[in-house]
Amino acid sequence: MSGMALRCSDLDITVNDRMLVQDLQLQFVPGTITCVLGRNGTGKSLTLHTLAGLRSFDKGALQLGTESLATISRRSVAQQLAFVAQDIEEPFPVTVLECAVSGRHPHIDFWQWESTDDYALARQSLSEVDLGDFAERSVQTLSGGERRRLAIAVALTQAPNILVLDEPINHLDPQHQLQVLKLLRRKADEGRTVIMTLHDPNLALQFGDQALLLFGDGRWIHGDMSILNDASISELYRTPMRTIRIDDRMMVINI
C-alpha cells in the first residue's frame, strides 16, 4: 500500500449553500508537496477536512488508492493518512511522549499496549520537530508553538503515506517554520504525499511542487508552481502582487 495516491473527481465543497470549490478534479502524487493557497474564507480548511474524509461532500468522488474513501474504515484510513488540524483541542494531562505515541493507535489492536518500537518511533518524531528533550514534560506546560510541533510529531508517529496539514507552521517562530517545512520536504522526498495550507506564497514557492489555488467562489487552479504568476496571485489575494526572480528563486512581492 506504499505510495497510495489520493484522488478526487468532480468534487463539490459547499458551506451554508455557498459553493466554495466546484468540480475539483486532481490527483495528489506521492513524493510531492501540494500547497493550498487562498484568502481567508475561501474553503482551504474545509477542503482539507474533506480530502481527509472528515467531512461529507455534495457531489463527486474521493478515492484512496483504488477504493472510495467513504467505504474504508476510519482505522484503515488512519493507517494511511494523518491529518493535522488548524486548531488543536486541549490535551489530557499527559506527557509529551505519551501524546506522541498516541499516533500509533491506528496500528495497535484494541487493548494492546504500545511496544518498545512504538515508543522509539515516537521519540524519533519528537526529535525531528525539536522536542526530543521535552519527552517527560506535561503537554499542558507547552507553548502554542510547541504544541503545534507536537501535533506534527503525533502525525509522523502515525507513519502515514499521506500527510494532510492545515497551516502546519501556525504559531511557529521563523526558525521552527523553516525547520518544519524542511522536515515535510524530506518526508515528501522519501515518497510520502504532503498536502498543506499555507498563507505565504513565498514559502509555497520555496518548498512546494504543486499548488492548489482556491478563489472562494467555486473556481480553482491546480498545477506546478508556474501557476503562481502576477495575474493569478493578484486575483487570489485581491491585492496587486508581482513575481520576481532573485538569483535562482522566484518570489512574490506586494506592489
Side-chain angles (χ1 to χ4, degrees):
M1 298 183 69
S2 179
M4 183 174 289
L6 183 67
R7 303 179 182 87
C8 58
S9 57
D10 302 320
L11 199 66
D12 282 1
I13 299 172
T14 63
V15 61
N16 297 328
D17 297 324
R18 176 188 168 198
M19 179 67 71
L20 294 172
V21 184
Q22 185 171 23
D23 294 328
L24 184 64
Q25 184 155 330
L26 57 93
Q27 175 173 316
F28 297 96
V29 181
T32 63
I33 293 178
T34 299
C35 299
V36 183
L37 303 174
R39 301 183 311 280
N40 293 334
T42 55
K44 299 187 301 298
S45 293
L46 289 177
T47 297
L48 261 60
H49 277 82
T50 304
L51 293 173
L54 300 174
R55 183 180 185 273
S56 61
F57 46 89
D58 300 279
K59 179 179 73 70
L62 183 59
Q63 288 184 298
L64 183 60
T66 59
E67 298 180 77
S68 169
L69 195 65
T71 67
I72 308 173
S73 71
R74 287 309 306 173
R75 175 183 171 88
S76 296
V77 171
Q79 291 172 353
Q80 296 297 326
L81 184 152
F83 178 72
V84 177
Q86 182 179 150
D87 298 312
I88 306 299
E89 295 182 3
E90 186 71 20
F92 293 107
V94 296
T95 68
V96 169
L97 179 61
E98 289 169 333
C99 185
V101 83
S102 70
R104 299 305 300 156
H105 289 174
H107 303 275
I108 298 174
D109 291 336
F110 197 53
W111 294 119
Q112 181 181 351
W113 292 102
E114 298 89 353
S115 69
T116 301
D117 288 343
D118 293 325
Y119 276 100
L121 182 55
R123 289 184 183 278
Q124 176 186 330
S125 299
L126 289 173
S127 178
E128 288 182 309
V129 297
D130 199 21
L131 289 176
D133 294 335
F134 289 58
E136 304 308 321
R137 278 182 52 176
S138 169
V139 172
Q140 294 181 322
T141 68
L142 300 185
S143 69
E146 289 164 346
R147 292 189 186 196
R148 193 72 185 144
R149 286 185 278 138
L150 176 57
I152 295 169
V154 174
L156 296 178
T157 304
Q158 199 171 322
N161 288 318
I162 301 170
L163 284 159
V164 181
L165 309 104
D166 195 2
E167 297 189 24
I169 59 174
N170 194 26
H171 301 305
L172 300 188
D173 56 58
Q175 174 195 359
H176 287 109
Q177 285 185 6
L178 292 176
Q179 182 187 58
V180 164
L181 291 174
K182 289 176 181 178
L183 172 61
L184 295 174
R185 179 71 264 171
R186 290 198 303 272
K187 297 301 178 182
D189 291 341
E190 292 168 1
R192 289 179 173 84
T193 302
V194 178
I195 308 165
M196 62 181 175
T197 58
L198 288 175
H199 278 298
D200 188 340
N202 285 307
L203 292 175
L205 283 166
Q206 184 175 353
F207 292 98
D209 302 295
Q210 304 279 318
L212 174 61
L213 312 184
L214 302 182
F215 294 90
D217 56 3
R219 293 178 301 132
W220 55 274
I221 301 173
H222 174 257
D224 63 26
M225 288 303 171
S226 65
I227 67 173
L228 297 179
N229 54 51
D230 295 3
S232 66
I233 289 293
S234 296
E235 182 179 8
L236 187 72
Y237 293 111
R238 292 184 177 174
T239 188
M241 307 186 84
R242 178 175 297 166
T243 55
I244 61 172
R245 182 172 292 278
I246 299 179
D247 296 328
D248 59 345
R249 284 180 53 186
M250 292 298 297
M251 296 191 67
V252 175
I253 61 171
N254 295 318
I255 59 173

